Amino acid sequence: MRLLVTWLINAAALLALPYLMHSVTVSDFATALLAALFLGLVNTLIRPVLVLLTLPVTLVSMGLFILVINAFLFWLVAQAVEGFNVASFGSAFIAAILYSIISWALSTLILKND
């Protein structure tokens, strides 16, 4: 049940992004659900490999390169999901940060720690 609620929270965070950034568009709630699912899968399967491969750059940048990885994955999902568009990589960088903040805030408000 918690996984389903987290998925809905992430979809809601995606739906909030177009109101904060005009360079991000989400056509409807079904698209937001699909994009949230893809983001979860990409972050689970591909992100650890990218973090491992870019470990030297991440260490030199004191961890800030993780933000670039997050932006790349956000942009990648936007390219893969029809109806979810991000204008540029720079927009994806800012949108990924905002998405994380909104998702974290909603999770904190809605989900209780057991």
Side-chain angles (χ1 to χ4, degrees):
M1 189 66 171
R2 186 176 177 95
L3 183 64
L4 180 63
V5 173
T6 303
W7 181 33
L8 291 172
I9 288 171
N10 290 338
L14 278 176
L15 283 174
L17 281 177
Y19 294 103
L20 300 172
M21 296 182 64
H22 297 291
S23 58
V24 176
T25 59
V26 180
S27 62
D28 57 5
F29 187 67
T31 301
L33 284 173
L34 185 62
L37 178 66
F38 274 33
L39 276 169
L41 289 173
V42 164
N43 281 330
T44 301
L45 301 173
I46 297 174
R47 186 175 186 264
V49 174
L50 287 178
V51 169
L52 187 63
L53 290 174
T54 61
L55 191 58
V57 177
T58 303
L59 290 174
V60 169
S61 69
M62 294 182 286
L64 292 176
F65 194 73
I66 298 286
L67 296 173
V68 174
I69 293 172
N70 288 342
F72 172 71
L73 295 176
F74 196 85
W75 176 81
L76 187 69
V77 169
Q79 299 301 311
V81 176
E82 187 73 30
F84 175 48
N85 298 314
V86 178
S88 66
F89 186 79
S91 296
F93 187 84
I94 296 169
I97 293 171
L98 288 174
Y99 171 73
S100 297
I101 292 169
I102 295 167
S103 178
W104 169 78
L106 289 174
S107 295
T108 301
L109 291 173
I110 295 172
L111 297 174
K112 304 282 189 229
N113 289 336
D114 294 333

